[in-house]
Amino acid sequence: MNSLTKTSAIFALAAGLLTTPLAYGQASNNAYEDEWSRAFKQYAAQLNDPVLAQSILNYTAQHERLLQQHGYIGRVLPIPAIEAVAPGVFFVKGALMWGTLENFGLNNNITAVELESGIFVYNTGSNPAVAYSFHQKLQRHTAMPIKWLAIENYQSHANLGASYWMDVGVHNLYSEQAAADFWQVRGFDRAVQRVSEYGPLLIQPVRNVADRYTRFEDRLVINEGTGDEVHLVNFGGGHTPTMTGAFIPSKNILFTGDLGFVERLPGLLHGSSYSEWLQSFERMVDYVTTHSPDLDNLLVIPGHGGASNLTELTRQTYDYFKDLEEVVKQAIEQGVARQDLARHVEMPAYRDRPMYSQLFLRNALSVFDELTTGQVSDPLLADE
Ligand SMILES: [Zn+2]
């Protein structure tokens, strides 16, 4: 038996165990086709043996159904350990840089919070493999079911794990309307392409499930009046054109999403606006000032960087943009041209923060452009 015959014999055998022939050939909307089954489908199409071909197609269908049921099948990745940053609050800190193969694309935080009757998760994780790995770790800390999941913004690190959670039975995924639209129509394909370049295995079973997100515009209070109450608030633009934070009254926790950066330098990317960021940040502070039962002890989970508090968060994010604005305004007043900006916008006080060297000029250029033209660039590339 040559190896090809052997393979087909094995799969004919495996497929023969399936009794129901499954309809095939129509890929579901935006399905990311599994490479393993694609090869078998091609093989089946070339066969002159319709019975064997049908068996192989049955096998691929079963394989894909199984993958979907599990959301991801593969190794548990060595992502950072879960930190219990407060009772019932399980936090994994993303790498303080952009997504790479070395950090499995995990460059933002994922957090799970035990509420009265289930778990609320903030952000899906940056791909199905990361979502699965987080889920595996989480199950060692808690047996509660995951019931609600919120997506913070337009970016892949907020969205790309979504199909994993849906596949394993989490159906309440919340996203602000414009962010969900963006992701559904433009963001997903681009993100898949990007991750494929450095880690195709991380996203192999991924699908675009944004059409099943629960959408809201300004604010949505989940489970109001119960011990499961969560406030989702679109505080406005900034890092991406809308930014969803979450506030949990019973735990006195604020999730800032990417309005809040601690440790690493915040980044102004395509679609970012520093002036909107400042305004949205102020709205966020107003919101918790009104709603927090104990502002001094508010636990703040930023989009990037470790767990923090409101004073530190303000210093490291809001004050940075105020300082940056000042530096760029001075350069403009002195008549510095755009191409000469690098020599005038160094900010030594911030030099030790991760991503400073990669972002200080880019951020300054973004502020410069916004101040001189009033324009903000297209969010399609907002994903670093
Ligand atoms: Zn981010």
Side-chain angles (χ1 to χ4, degrees), residues 147 169 182 203 205 228 241 246 261 304 368:
K147 289 194 175 176
F182 174 83
I203 44 151
D228 294 330
F261 279 60
H304 299 264
F368 183 93

PDB file of all heavy atoms in Angstrom, residues 147 169 182 203 205 228 241 246 261 304 368:
ATOM      1  N   LYS A 147     -20.919  33.740  31.318  1.00  0.00           N
ATOM      2  CA  LYS A 147     -22.234  34.122  30.780  1.00  0.00           C
ATOM      3  C   LYS A 147     -22.211  35.368  29.906  1.00  0.00           C
ATOM      4  O   LYS A 147     -23.038  35.517  29.030  1.00  0.00           O
ATOM      5  CB  LYS A 147     -23.214  34.361  31.931  1.00  0.00           C
ATOM      6  CG  LYS A 147     -23.641  33.089  32.652  1.00  0.00           C
ATOM      7  CD  LYS A 147     -24.855  33.396  33.514  1.00  0.00           C
ATOM      8  CE  LYS A 147     -25.411  32.149  34.179  1.00  0.00           C
ATOM      9  NZ  LYS A 147     -26.519  32.519  35.085  1.00  0.00           N
ATOM     10  N   GLY A 169     -20.361  27.998  23.732  1.00  0.00           N
ATOM     11  CA  GLY A 169     -21.653  28.194  24.372  1.00  0.00           C
ATOM     12  C   GLY A 169     -21.882  29.523  25.078  1.00  0.00           C
ATOM     13  O   GLY A 169     -22.866  29.680  25.788  1.00  0.00           O
ATOM     14  N   PHE A 182     -17.826  47.825  12.108  1.00  0.00           N
ATOM     15  CA  PHE A 182     -16.477  47.893  11.532  1.00  0.00           C
ATOM     16  C   PHE A 182     -15.856  46.511  11.481  1.00  0.00           C
ATOM     17  O   PHE A 182     -15.306  46.079  10.472  1.00  0.00           O
ATOM     18  CB  PHE A 182     -15.593  48.836  12.363  1.00  0.00           C
ATOM     19  CG  PHE A 182     -14.150  48.827  11.901  1.00  0.00           C
ATOM     20  CD1 PHE A 182     -13.759  49.613  10.831  1.00  0.00           C
ATOM     21  CD2 PHE A 182     -13.214  48.012  12.518  1.00  0.00           C
ATOM     22  CE1 PHE A 182     -12.444  49.586  10.383  1.00  0.00           C
ATOM     23  CE2 PHE A 182     -11.895  47.978  12.082  1.00  0.00           C
ATOM     24  CZ  PHE A 182     -11.508  48.771  11.008  1.00  0.00           C
ATOM     25  N   ILE A 203      -5.153  31.048  14.543  1.00  0.00           N
ATOM     26  CA  ILE A 203      -6.491  31.460  14.105  1.00  0.00           C
ATOM     27  C   ILE A 203      -7.154  30.436  13.207  1.00  0.00           C
ATOM     28  O   ILE A 203      -8.164  30.722  12.572  1.00  0.00           O
ATOM     29  CB  ILE A 203      -6.453  32.802  13.344  1.00  0.00           C
ATOM     30  CG1 ILE A 203      -5.300  32.819  12.363  1.00  0.00           C
ATOM     31  CG2 ILE A 203      -6.405  33.976  14.280  1.00  0.00           C
ATOM     32  CD1 ILE A 203      -5.585  33.674  11.198  1.00  0.00           C
ATOM     33  N   PRO A 205      -9.277  27.932  13.416  1.00  0.00           N
ATOM     34  CA  PRO A 205     -10.730  27.726  13.390  1.00  0.00           C
ATOM     35  C   PRO A 205     -11.547  29.021  13.462  1.00  0.00           C
ATOM     36  O   PRO A 205     -12.754  28.959  13.644  1.00  0.00           O
ATOM     37  CB  PRO A 205     -10.964  26.877  14.646  1.00  0.00           C
ATOM     38  CG  PRO A 205      -9.862  27.259  15.566  1.00  0.00           C
ATOM     39  CD  PRO A 205      -8.732  27.824  14.762  1.00  0.00           C
ATOM     40  N   ASP A 228     -25.597  40.651  39.321  1.00  0.00           N
ATOM     41  CA  ASP A 228     -24.833  40.441  38.084  1.00  0.00           C
ATOM     42  C   ASP A 228     -24.735  41.716  37.257  1.00  0.00           C
ATOM     43  O   ASP A 228     -24.384  41.676  36.074  1.00  0.00           O
ATOM     44  CB  ASP A 228     -25.521  39.367  37.226  1.00  0.00           C
ATOM     45  CG  ASP A 228     -25.491  37.993  37.881  1.00  0.00           C
ATOM     46  OD1 ASP A 228     -24.535  37.712  38.624  1.00  0.00           O
ATOM     47  OD2 ASP A 228     -26.426  37.203  37.642  1.00  0.00           O
ATOM     48  N   PRO A 241     -12.423  54.790  17.141  1.00  0.00           N
ATOM     49  CA  PRO A 241     -13.477  55.819  17.130  1.00  0.00           C
ATOM     50  C   PRO A 241     -14.565  55.684  18.199  1.00  0.00           C
ATOM     51  O   PRO A 241     -15.260  56.661  18.493  1.00  0.00           O
ATOM     52  CB  PRO A 241     -14.071  55.694  15.722  1.00  0.00           C
ATOM     53  CG  PRO A 241     -12.940  55.176  14.901  1.00  0.00           C
ATOM     54  CD  PRO A 241     -12.217  54.207  15.790  1.00  0.00           C
ATOM     55  N   ALA A 246     -16.221  49.223  30.979  1.00  0.00           N
ATOM     56  CA  ALA A 246     -17.211  48.502  31.785  1.00  0.00           C
ATOM     57  C   ALA A 246     -17.024  48.869  33.244  1.00  0.00           C
ATOM     58  O   ALA A 246     -15.894  49.023  33.719  1.00  0.00           O
ATOM     59  CB  ALA A 246     -17.061  46.994  31.595  1.00  0.00           C
ATOM     60  N   PHE A 261      -3.982  53.246  29.604  1.00  0.00           N
ATOM     61  CA  PHE A 261      -2.709  52.526  29.442  1.00  0.00           C
ATOM     62  C   PHE A 261      -1.870  52.786  30.689  1.00  0.00           C
ATOM     63  O   PHE A 261      -1.649  53.930  31.072  1.00  0.00           O
ATOM     64  CB  PHE A 261      -1.921  53.055  28.243  1.00  0.00           C
ATOM     65  CG  PHE A 261      -2.338  52.525  26.898  1.00  0.00           C
ATOM     66  CD1 PHE A 261      -3.623  52.727  26.419  1.00  0.00           C
ATOM     67  CD2 PHE A 261      -1.425  51.854  26.087  1.00  0.00           C
ATOM     68  CE1 PHE A 261      -4.011  52.274  25.158  1.00  0.00           C
ATOM     69  CE2 PHE A 261      -1.789  51.391  24.831  1.00  0.00           C
ATOM     70  CZ  PHE A 261      -3.080  51.605  24.362  1.00  0.00           C
ATOM     71  N   HIS A 304      -4.119  48.090  28.605  1.00  0.00           N
ATOM     72  CA  HIS A 304      -2.750  47.558  28.553  1.00  0.00           C
ATOM     73  C   HIS A 304      -2.045  47.920  29.857  1.00  0.00           C
ATOM     74  O   HIS A 304      -2.179  49.031  30.343  1.00  0.00           O
ATOM     75  CB  HIS A 304      -1.990  48.158  27.369  1.00  0.00           C
ATOM     76  CG  HIS A 304      -2.616  47.846  26.041  1.00  0.00           C
ATOM     77  ND1 HIS A 304      -2.193  46.796  25.253  1.00  0.00           N
ATOM     78  CD2 HIS A 304      -3.633  48.431  25.376  1.00  0.00           C
ATOM     79  CE1 HIS A 304      -2.924  46.764  24.147  1.00  0.00           C
ATOM     80  NE2 HIS A 304      -3.799  47.747  24.193  1.00  0.00           N
ATOM     81  N   PHE A 368       0.185  66.414  15.860  1.00  0.00           N
ATOM     82  CA  PHE A 368       0.529  67.494  14.917  1.00  0.00           C
ATOM     83  C   PHE A 368      -0.532  67.576  13.812  1.00  0.00           C
ATOM     84  O   PHE A 368      -1.075  68.646  13.517  1.00  0.00           O
ATOM     85  CB  PHE A 368       1.915  67.215  14.314  1.00  0.00           C
ATOM     86  CG  PHE A 368       2.408  68.281  13.380  1.00  0.00           C
ATOM     87  CD1 PHE A 368       3.204  69.316  13.842  1.00  0.00           C
ATOM     88  CD2 PHE A 368       2.092  68.239  12.025  1.00  0.00           C
ATOM     89  CE1 PHE A 368       3.677  70.302  12.970  1.00  0.00           C
ATOM     90  CE2 PHE A 368       2.554  69.217  11.146  1.00  0.00           C
ATOM     91  CZ  PHE A 368       3.349  70.247  11.632  1.00  0.00           C
TER      92      PHE A 368
END
